[in-house]
Amino acid sequence: MSDNNNTPAPEQTGKGKDGKKIVLSGIRATGNLHLGNYYGALNKFVRMQDDYDCRYFVADLHALTTHPDPKMLHENVKDILAEYLAAGLDPEKNTIYVQSDVPEISEMYLLMNMHVGIGELMRTASFKDKARKALGISAPESDSDDDGIEKQIIGNQTNQRVNAGLLTYPTLMAVDILIHHADFVPVGKDQEQHLELTRRFARRFNSFYKTPYFGEPVNFNFGDHSIKVPGLDGSGKMGKSEGNCIYLIDDEKTLRKKVMRAVTDEGPKEPNQEVSEPIRNLFTLMELVSTPDTLEHFKNAYADCSIRYGDLKKQLAEDILKVTLPIRERILDIRSNEEYLSRVVRQGAERAREVAAETLRDVRQIMGIRKI
Ligand code: TRP
């Protein structure tokens, strides 16, 4: 399924297997994967697997920051793993593992935290968001409106705590990346700030210990603009917490129903009028799953006011199903084979631990944690 048409030729100068550059990414185990995850991340993972030394993991420790039910968390790890494999990640080509199976990550997280400031962590957008949610505070109207969330956290005396794991989420993510000496980290735009912090921590470590030990990992895109997959509710992106998702695991009936219920508008009133946001979103989805001719047809129909949204949605559902149904079949198949899943992660953990142990050994040595 690898499609390298517009892939820049990877420079074969990396420290990975066969001189390849190292790629690392992960997804938090907090629910089934949706089309946003698929086009934003998973599809990129698959396209990179031939040209890079790729390591992909399920972030179960990161999921703990929002206190999942223990049974659900465990099931979720297996779901995401099955979804990785069903989307086309090959466990022979890639190192596929579960974060908590590599205990070296947790130890290095402790060490790295010694060089991370609580101020910079508190200023991270994702932290502020999650802290507000934990305390039941609504977000300020605009980015420049300071709601003094930092003071509210410190002054908070209720049982609605903002846990320290949430604060140090970026340290753990930096360690996920740095422990592999990754060159590229394919992630969505929402993770850019975490990647920026990762680079900052790497530089800080190097300069504190006067050793050029860590490189500076960057995001990765295939020449095309970074994709933002819209939801079905008329505005914003597709997201688990927005309840506007199409899941890879959705069955035919559920999926059709969701698409047919997607928010639209009253229809174009005059020729060539500007396309409203809900309709633009449906066109964006169509751009991902349908042929250029199909998209063109509906855009023209919008322009000359002959469009019927029912037809548009029917076609969209049809074309989404062409992408997701084969994946769904494979998910169900792979998910029911626990023995296979366990074999995949055992092998992945073994490979990941080999690399991680070496980095951890170096980091301990550099920091002065040495055997007597
Ligand atoms: N923070 C990422 C997310 O929420 C998941 C993640 C954890 C990750 N560790 C990572 C992504 C390391 C890339 C690299 O989607």
Side-chain angles (χ1 to χ4, degrees), residues 318-336:
E318 214 51 55
D319 292 340
I320 293 173
L321 284 166
K322 275 195 204 120
V323 175
T324 58
L325 270 196
I327 299 177
R328 173 185 151 82
E329 298 291 313
R330 288 196 294 272
I331 297 172
L332 294 176
D333 192 34
I334 295 169
R335 184 66 175 81
S336 65

Side-chain angles (χ1 to χ4, degrees), residues 24-26 28 57 59 62 169 173 176-177 185 187 191 194:
L24 176 111
S25 199
R28 248 170 353 127
F57 71 100
H62 274 114
Y169 186 110
M173 177 157 164
D176 287 329
I177 297 168
V185 185
V187 284
Q191 297 297 313
H194 290 150

Side-chain angles (χ1 to χ4, degrees), residues 3-195:
D3 150 22
N4 292 321
N5 290 340
N6 59 353
T7 312
E11 297 163 52
Q12 300 289 307
T13 53
K15 298 231 170 65
K17 188 174 61 185
D18 306 327
K20 289 174 175 171
K21 297 260 193 204
I22 297 169
V23 168
L24 176 111
S25 199
I27 297 179
R28 248 170 353 127
T30 53
N32 285 106
L33 300 186
H34 50 72
L35 273 192
N37 300 125
Y38 183 71
Y39 284 105
L42 206 42
N43 197 28
K44 264 201 264 188
F45 297 0
V46 175
R47 287 173 71 184
M48 296 182 89
Q49 66 182 345
D50 289 315
D51 296 327
Y52 299 91
D53 178 352
C54 302
R55 296 110 195 242
Y56 299 121
F57 71 100
V58 181
D60 58 345
L61 296 176
H62 274 114
L64 288 174
T65 55
T66 45
H67 301 160
D69 171 76
K71 257 208 209 99
M72 292 267 285
L73 174 62
H74 182 62
E75 293 306 308
N76 223 220
V77 170
K78 291 186 279 185
D79 289 342
I80 301 223
L81 194 61
E83 287 168 338
Y84 274 2
L85 298 165
L89 287 185
D90 180 343
E92 294 309 317
K93 286 184 194 157
N94 309 287
T95 298
I96 298 175
Y97 62 99
V98 178
Q99 188 182 30
S100 61
D101 281 343
V102 182
E104 289 80 4
I105 294 170
S106 298
E107 185 176 340
M108 188 167 143
Y109 158 73
L110 181 149
L111 297 173
M112 188 57 88
N113 260 333
M114 307 304 166
H115 290 284
V116 172
I118 54 175
E120 61 191 340
L121 292 175
M122 284 182 89
R123 287 190 295 273
T124 309
S126 60
F127 171 72
K128 288 192 179 192
D129 272 359
K130 294 218 174 92
R132 279 191 203 103
K133 268 192 197 130
L135 298 179
I137 299 168
S138 52
E141 293 286 311
S142 80
D143 286 350
S144 53
D145 280 354
D146 186 2
D147 61 352
I149 181 73
E150 295 87 346
K151 282 215 179 80
Q152 300 194 54
I153 293 167
I154 293 171
N156 171 52
Q157 303 271 352
T158 69
N159 331 325
Q160 287 156 309
R161 273 177 295 278
V162 178
N163 72 68
L166 213 47
L167 183 67
T168 54
Y169 186 110
T171 315
L172 183 56
M173 177 157 164
V175 168
D176 287 329
I177 297 168
L178 296 175
I179 209 163
H180 282 277
H181 294 282
D183 297 292
F184 296 120
V185 185
V187 284
K189 241 186 156 39
D190 61 322
Q191 297 297 313
E192 268 299 342
Q193 197 179 21
H194 290 150
L195 214 46

